[in-house]
Amino acid sequence: MTFNPLQERGIPLDKQLRNWRELNVTPTDPDHADPYTRCRIITMNGIEVEAIMFSHHLARHCPDVELKQQLARVRYIEAQQQKAVNWLLPGLASVLETTLAYEQVAVDLTAWVARMEPDAYLKQAYEFGVLEDFDHLYRYANLYEMIEHRKAEKIVDQLTEVMPGRPTYLHHRNPVDNVREPYDRNSAAPISKLHALTIMSAEQQTMNFYMNVGPMYMEPIARQLYQEIGLIEEEHVTHYESLVDPGESWWEMLLNHEYNECYLYHSFMETESDPKVKNIWELHLNMELEHLRLAAELFKRHDGRDPEQVLAPELPAPVTFEPNKAYLRELISTQIDYTTLGTGYVQEAHERFEKMQEAIMGGEKAPSERVIDDNRARSGHEYRLQTDGEHPVHSLAYNR
Ligand SMILES: [Fe+2]
Ligand SMILES: [Fe+2]
Ligand SMILES: [Fe+2]
Ligand SMILES: [Fe+2]
């Protein structure tokens, strides 16, 4: 069954506004919800936040008042969608529990995208990044056990393993080495453009989240760990956003954004286990079809091309949240010692990398290392969730 969003009719824009009652969505059940439902909610929140911020940036470059008014109308609906989506979260979760869920999204969404990405250079970018968020999950899980006395499996269930990836302290690279080469907008497969937008948006919301919630903790180790990982999420946003071809016109970018929203709502509608949440995905898909139609009109008028020239003829296979354990273990055993040099990857610590490491460590251990030592001291062990056996790298095997 093929679905071409350019051929489908959505809800007319003037019928999309919701009142307070309609916006007041029923949150998911904190004890019984599928962890991957929470992951889909977080992903779509990141996508809607990007839709809003992209539209603001476009408006700031747009001298035509009428155009600005149209952007404002659609953007207000995006803002309502963001509220409906993010308010599906049940409110009971602590900041650290939400953090664990954010890193679970980063792990299983990026791993899926890496598996599906047809372009070798882009695939490498996702494989590189996913091993870092995988390690963040392990560091935060230890902080969680230490300060909330709970285990991360309460959040991630048995779906995502928790153990060391590329050690977090080694993620601090010279910023110059975080910039990748972009895909070529004329030759890249449509799915590659969607992947890049999706992961960029997810990492951006994680960066924003840590920037805001980090100082809400009183425990010095928590404050420091959020600072450290917050800076790495800045590196990740730089890494992923540089994959997008900056030669796309504003209208082409708008078109890709709206198309990606259609793609993801459709994907999640197809794969959602919670019927109430599924209804929201379906409603929002029907709104996005109209956003896409409007963006297509603007693209034709201002870019002078047909949307069919740049978009996929039908939606690609749905983005799916599912365990990626074997894939991640394979990456850990082959790519754990990678770093970047210029726009490529190397396996040895080069001079620019070492200078950056020295400067930022200031002769001390990073918070991400101390959090493990501290938890071992306080809980008598470090936290791991190895459902599929011992760690694939011998030197990182768990010794009690
Ligand atoms: Fe949207
Ligand atoms: Fe992360
Ligand atoms: Fe990240
Ligand atoms: Fe939209």
Side-chain angles (χ1 to χ4, degrees):
M1 209 179 61
T2 64
F3 186 89
N4 180 354
L6 288 171
Q7 311 272 299
E8 305 285 329
R9 271 256 156 269
I11 302 171
L13 193 61
D14 56 10
K15 296 269 160 37
Q16 294 194 6
L17 190 87
R18 278 174 278 186
N19 61 29
W20 301 126
R21 184 176 43 76
E22 293 164 314
L23 277 178
N24 185 19
V25 293
T26 311
T28 51
D29 182 330
D31 298 319
H32 301 106
D34 177 350
Y36 283 150
T37 294
R38 184 173 46 226
C39 286
R40 284 183 283 268
I41 293 169
I42 291 169
T43 302
M44 286 323 300
N45 185 57
I47 294 294
E48 290 298 350
V49 169
E50 167 61 23
I52 295 164
M53 295 316 299
F54 174 77
S55 172
H56 277 298
H57 287 297
L58 171 49
R60 290 167 201 176
H61 289 263
C62 182
D64 182 318
V65 172
E66 252 177 67
L67 260 178
K68 263 180 146 142
Q69 289 170 335
Q70 187 187 324
L71 291 173
R73 288 180 70 206
V74 176
R75 188 168 64 244
Y76 190 85
I77 301 301
E78 308 284 13
Q80 283 207 333
Q81 290 177 317
Q82 184 274 328
K83 304 296 172 291
V85 169
N86 210 25
W87 268 242
L88 288 168
L89 295 178
L92 267 178
S94 70
V95 165
L96 204 34
E97 287 171 329
T98 305
T99 298
L100 294 169
Y102 272 44
E103 295 293 351
Q104 184 177 32
V105 169
V107 169
D108 281 324
L109 184 63
T110 312
W112 167 271
V113 162
R115 284 164 52 204
M116 298 300 143
E117 175 55 53
D119 178 275
Y121 181 79
L122 298 170
K123 187 186 183 76
Q124 178 63 74
Y126 302 120
E127 290 182 339
F128 179 79
V130 75
L131 285 189
E132 303 198 333
D133 291 310
F134 186 80
D135 195 76
H136 297 168
L137 180 59
Y138 160 69
R139 309 288 156 176
Y140 281 127
N142 277 273
L143 181 65
Y144 183 53
E145 180 169 58
M146 190 165 66
I147 70 181
E148 294 190 27
H149 310 292
R150 290 185 167 174
K151 299 195 180 299
E153 65 241 42
K154 176 174 176 260
I155 305 300
V156 302
D157 206 348
Q158 306 289 313
L159 300 168
T160 310
E161 292 191 281
V162 182
M163 59 184 173
R166 180 177 306 120
T168 290
Y169 77 96
L170 296 172
H171 306 173
H172 304 285
R173 294 172 284 272
N174 186 301
V176 164
D177 294 316
N178 290 322
V179 178
R180 309 272 75 80
E181 301 279 354
Y183 61 68
D184 176 346
R185 67 187 188 281
N186 297 313
S187 58
I191 186 68
S192 296
K193 302 178 185 178
L194 303 175
H195 282 163
L197 264 186
T198 299
I199 301 300
M200 177 192 85
S201 306
E203 293 290 328
Q204 172 175 263
Q205 89 161 333
T206 306
M207 174 185 79
N208 288 336
F209 186 67
Y210 298 164
M211 289 199 284
N212 287 304
V213 301
M216 291 178 167
Y217 278 93
M218 284 187 301
E219 293 85 348
I221 185 66
R223 298 173 69 86
Q224 291 163 18
L225 187 63
Y226 274 98
Q227 273 195 345
E228 183 183 1
I229 298 184
L231 281 168
I232 295 161
E233 302 305 347
E234 156 61 29
E235 299 190 81
H236 287 175
V237 177
T238 301
H239 173 78
Y240 291 121
E241 78 187 359
S242 58
L243 300 175
V244 178
D245 187 341
E248 291 171 358
S249 71
W250 280 99
W251 309 109
E252 185 170 358
M253 287 188 188
L254 178 64
L255 192 65
N256 286 337
H257 274 75
E258 297 293 8
Y259 192 93
N260 196 38
E261 288 187 272
C262 292
Y263 172 45
L264 290 173
Y265 279 128
H266 187 269
S267 294
F268 292 171
M269 186 182 88
E270 300 269 283
T271 54
E272 183 55 65
S273 55
D274 179 329
K276 277 195 210 147
V277 176
K278 184 187 170 119
N279 286 342
I280 304 234
W281 303 149
E282 187 174 8
L283 172 65
H284 286 195
L285 169 62
N286 286 314
M287 294 176 169
E288 298 299 348
L289 291 170
E290 176 72 354
H291 299 180
L292 178 65
R293 191 186 66 77
L294 293 166
E297 291 297 316
L298 292 174
F299 179 74
K300 279 187 241 172
R301 200 175 332 139
H302 299 283
D303 199 295
R305 288 180 290 168
D306 276 329
E308 286 80 3
Q309 288 175 257
V310 295
L311 297 175
E314 62 186 67
L315 283 185
V319 173
T320 306
F321 274 98
E322 63 181 21
N324 293 283
K325 295 174 184 177
Y327 183 70
L328 288 162
R329 281 174 170 268
E330 173 65 24
L331 290 181
I332 290 169
S333 55
T334 51
Q335 300 195 20
I336 199 164
D337 55 353
Y338 280 30
T339 190
T340 55
L341 176 59
T343 58
Y345 303 85
V346 290
Q347 273 170 291
E348 69 280 353
H350 52 87
E351 197 187 333
R352 197 156 60 201
F353 174 79
E354 300 214 300
K355 277 218 168 102
M356 178 70 187
Q357 284 277 305
E358 249 177 65
I360 197 160
M361 297 306 157
E364 286 175 34
K365 263 192 175 184
S368 57
E369 291 293 298
R370 280 186 275 128
V371 72
I372 305 297
D373 298 343
D374 288 3
N375 191 33
R376 276 173 171 271
R378 252 190 258 183
S379 309
H381 58 252
E382 62 172 77
Y383 179 82
R384 292 189 183 199
L385 178 62
Q386 297 181 169
T387 61
D388 285 22
E390 200 34 275
H391 196 284
V393 174
H394 190 66
S395 59
L396 293 171
Y398 189 22
N399 47 69
R400 277 152 227 274

